[in-house]
Amino acid sequence: MNVSARNEEKDGLLASQETTIQVLGESKIIRVLYKPEGKKSQFAKLILETASSYIPKLSEYLEAAPRAKILTIKDITDGSIARNEGSIAYVPFAYPDPELPIPAPLLYHEIGHWWFGQDPRWVSEGVSSFLPVAMEKSGYLSIGNLEINKVKYWWGFRQPLSTIDLPLGDITNLENIPANDFSIYYEKSFKIQYLIYLELGSEKYRKFLISLMDPKQESWHDYFIAPSKTMYDEKTKGVISLLRKQKEMDWDQFLSGWVQRKGYQKKTKTLLQDQDGDSIVDYEEIVNHTSTTEWDSDKDGLGDFAETILGTNPNEPNRKEIFQNKIQNTGIILDGMADDWEFIDAISLTQPKLPNQKIPITEFRYKQIGNLLYGMVRSDRPFNEIYPKEKDLYFFMADNSKQKERVGFGFKMHPNDVYGWEYERTKGNKRYVWGKVAHVFEFQIDIGDHPDPELILVPLINGPKGPSLGHWDYGKPIVIPLKQP
């Protein structure tokens, strides 16, 4: 990758990083513009690398290259919203935290609009958001389970449907949405694409997306790829007809409540729920012929989600040795399940229920792999049975190390969250805590620059106010010896 740095006079002395890439045999320049302040130069480099990798793969997936010769990604510095204007995609480089770059789901989304910039908006917005998931599932992209969870988190995949709702249909602007409700529009349009993908399967879904475009229509626009004539003329009705070409079924009924008609089918309204709490939604389990009510369909000790990540069949029992070898190579799978911990050499600490705790913490496991510490917190009952009933709960790992850099770190007890936060870091780079909560809470933190030879933690479960609802024994904190990698 050739990266250059210079100033853009017309953009008010913005710094620029750029590189030339090959996209389906065409040369394209990817240019990143930003104010040269703070960590923006580092973030710009990350965004340039991400975009330069993603765009060629997306072009291969959709069998079409973006129209513009120069594709610009510009940092938002005026508080305006992320958007795509012609050949320029506007993305906040450090949102919501100015110290940490996590724009990838939004970056993927705005890049997707170079292919899908047309109405109806439920298609263009939903597809642009969902593309990384579809590509990962189809083998066209390899960004990993954690990144896919970030994408799902960003678009509120596990959030319940809004109580104020309406079919999206041919709505063309957010003024028709009550209070510009994000959950009604962006979360819902993402879920629509998930339903369509699972109904069609990976290859027919890809063919459906290709049928939405007409890359040979060069006179339509200088930047965006033209929509197919069917979609351009008929909008949502045209999209339904293109879906029927891939699979003959009553799409109007299937998407009732989602797109055209009011009133959801009971089937589709509940298909994206996760009855057994195994981090796989019910519809995906139905498609894969796994159980919607048992987290381990073949009862071999490893759950359905972990088996899909490892590439084994969740419907055929496997030997323990096979799982041990695969998990030792893959590492802990952050899915909120304790199953993979049973197949690795990890430290397990238990304690009896302490008195006067609403949610007793009974087990803590940990494993250091290189500079990463993986941990698991278990209560006396699965957390997915707790968080629908309790509101605003979060895990807090109080750091009692002698030379601690932080008070500790926290993580919300919510199935849609994939990252937590650190408190009062005194030196080094601020970092997110990656994790997932379902039956248990699993997390991953970087301990590479921790100043002490040991990490001393006290896990707690806190509510919005008052004393903790559950905690480890304060008098016997968890002492984790840290290994030099």
Side-chain angles (χ1 to χ4, degrees):
M1 179 184 293
N2 296 317
V3 178
S4 63
R6 60 188 178 82
N7 287 331
E8 286 287 310
E9 294 182 4
K10 64 180 180 180
D11 286 303
L13 297 178
L14 295 182
S16 170
Q17 294 184 30
E18 65 181 46
T19 188
T20 301
I21 62 173
Q22 292 297 310
V23 183
L24 297 182
E26 300 179 39
S27 292
K28 303 285 184 184
I29 295 174
I30 311 296
R31 179 174 296 164
V32 179
L33 300 177
Y34 59 98
K35 282 188 177 181
E37 58 187 19
K39 299 180 179 179
K40 291 297 180 70
S41 176
Q42 299 171 350
F43 298 168
K45 183 176 184 291
L46 176 62
I47 287 169
L48 182 64
E49 291 172 349
T50 303
S52 298
S53 173
Y54 184 61
I55 289 171
K57 292 174 183 176
L58 181 53
S59 299
E60 180 184 354
Y61 179 71
L62 296 174
E63 298 181 1
R67 295 288 307 279
K69 299 297 182 185
I70 300 175
L71 301 166
T72 301
I73 300 166
K74 187 175 179 181
D75 185 23
I76 295 176
T77 58
D78 60 1
S80 58
I81 62 172
R83 61 199 184 276
N84 189 307
E85 295 180 357
S87 62
I88 303 177
Y90 292 82
V91 179
F93 282 16
Y95 175 83
D97 191 322
E99 293 294 312
L100 295 164
I102 57 161
L106 197 53
L107 176 63
Y108 295 141
H109 175 90
E110 297 305 338
I111 287 174
H113 275 308
W114 281 321
W115 283 262
F116 298 96
Q118 65 274 358
D119 292 331
R121 288 197 62 184
W122 68 269
V123 173
S124 62
E125 301 296 348
V127 170
S128 296
S129 302
F130 185 69
L131 278 167
V133 179
M135 291 170 66
E136 180 83 6
K137 286 178 172 292
S138 304
Y140 284 83
L141 191 65
S142 182
I143 56 177
N145 179 47
L146 180 57
E147 288 297 313
I148 291 300
N149 268 329
K150 290 184 197 177
V151 173
K152 291 180 179 180
Y153 160 82
W154 193 279
W155 303 113
F157 180 58
R158 294 186 181 276
Q159 296 282 10
L161 288 166
S162 175
T163 53
I164 305 173
D165 198 4
L166 75 166
L168 296 184
D170 288 333
I171 293 173
T172 58
N173 61 67
L174 295 180
E175 292 177 0
N176 296 316
I177 303 289
N180 288 349
D181 194 319
F182 182 92
S183 64
I184 294 179
Y185 205 94
Y186 291 97
E187 290 179 6
K188 186 170 179 177
S189 64
F190 181 88
K191 292 172 183 176
I192 290 169
Q193 293 307 313
Y194 214 115
L195 285 169
I196 293 173
Y197 175 88
L198 292 174
E199 187 64 36
L200 290 180
S202 60
E203 189 54 28
K204 286 186 177 181
Y205 180 77
R206 187 174 80 94
K207 290 179 179 178
F208 161 65
L209 296 186
I210 292 172
S211 75
L212 297 173
M213 303 179 298
D214 182 7
K216 296 180 179 179
Q217 173 58 280
E218 295 184 0
S219 63
W220 185 76
H221 202 289
D222 290 339
Y223 304 109
F224 304 123
I225 294 176
S228 63
K229 189 175 188 306
T230 299
M231 183 163 153
Y232 184 79
D233 291 342
E234 302 177 45
K235 296 189 178 180
T236 290
K237 288 184 178 179
V239 174
I240 299 298
S241 71
L242 293 173
L243 283 168
R244 289 197 185 100
K245 287 185 178 181
Q246 299 303 322
K247 183 174 183 179
E248 186 58 50
M249 59 178 281
D250 190 344
W251 286 98
D252 288 302
Q253 183 182 22
F254 181 77
L255 296 174
S256 175
W258 296 93
V259 175
Q260 294 201 95
R261 296 187 286 184
K262 290 185 177 180
Y264 294 93
Q265 280 190 290
K266 182 179 180 181
K267 174 184 175 184
T268 58
K269 191 170 184 179
T270 59
L271 282 177
L272 296 180
Q273 295 178 1
D274 179 12
Q275 290 185 68
D276 53 11
D278 62 358
S279 290
I280 308 177
V281 294
D282 289 355
Y283 200 5
E284 203 153 356
E285 300 230 49
I286 292 170
V287 170
N288 294 332
H289 306 291
T290 52
S291 173
T292 60
T293 56
E294 296 287 341
W295 62 270
D296 181 12
S297 295
D298 56 16
K299 298 194 169 42
D300 58 6
L302 194 66
D304 298 340
F305 185 87
E307 291 215 42
T308 59
I309 295 298
L310 297 177
T312 56
N313 188 337
N315 288 311
E316 294 181 3
N318 285 278
R319 299 194 316 273
K320 181 178 180 180
E321 295 76 21
I322 293 176
F323 291 146
Q324 285 176 326
N325 292 334
K326 285 181 174 289
I327 294 171
Q328 289 289 354
N329 293 329
T330 304
I332 300 298
I333 299 166
L334 297 177
D335 59 353
M337 303 292 293
D339 48 358
D340 48 346
W341 289 87
E342 303 295 335
F343 297 92
I344 64 169
D345 180 21
I347 305 298
S348 178
L349 305 172
T350 60
Q351 71 171 5
K353 295 181 184 180
L354 298 177
N356 303 318
Q357 295 197 80
K358 191 171 184 180
I359 310 172
I361 296 175
T362 57
E363 184 180 10
F364 184 92
R365 294 193 193 186
Y366 67 88
K367 171 80 172 179
Q368 182 181 342
I369 303 176
N371 284 332
L372 298 179
L373 179 74
Y374 291 87
M376 186 269 281
V377 179
R378 190 197 301 267
S379 177
D380 67 331
R381 64 189 188 278
F383 290 126
N384 65 309
E385 296 178 6
I386 297 171
Y387 54 65
K389 302 170 185 176
E390 302 285 347
K391 301 297 182 183
D392 299 321
L393 298 180
Y394 66 95
F395 302 94
F396 187 71
M397 304 292 162
D399 187 350
N400 289 356
S401 306
K402 292 180 181 178
Q403 301 182 68
K404 62 185 178 184
E405 293 184 86
R406 58 193 169 199
V407 173
F409 60 87
F411 196 99
K412 290 182 181 177
M413 189 189 288
H414 191 287
N416 202 46
D417 285 297
V418 296
Y419 62 87
W421 61 93
E422 291 183 308
Y423 275 98
E424 298 180 18
R425 193 167 182 79
T426 58
K427 67 178 182 178
N429 293 322
K430 187 176 181 182
R431 294 183 292 253
Y432 276 120
V433 179
W434 304 110
K436 201 77 178 71
V437 57
H439 285 229
V440 299
F441 168 47
E442 295 180 292
F443 64 86
Q444 168 195 306
I445 59 173
D446 188 337
I447 43 83
D449 61 354
H450 196 277
D452 284 352
E454 57 189 20
L455 180 65
I456 302 176
L457 297 178
V458 178
L460 308 102
I461 299 176
N462 293 337
K465 59 182 179 179
S468 63
L469 281 70
H471 59 81
W472 198 259
D473 188 338
Y474 290 104
K476 300 177 182 178
I478 296 167
V479 180
I480 302 173
L482 301 181
K483 306 172 187 175
Q484 292 297 323

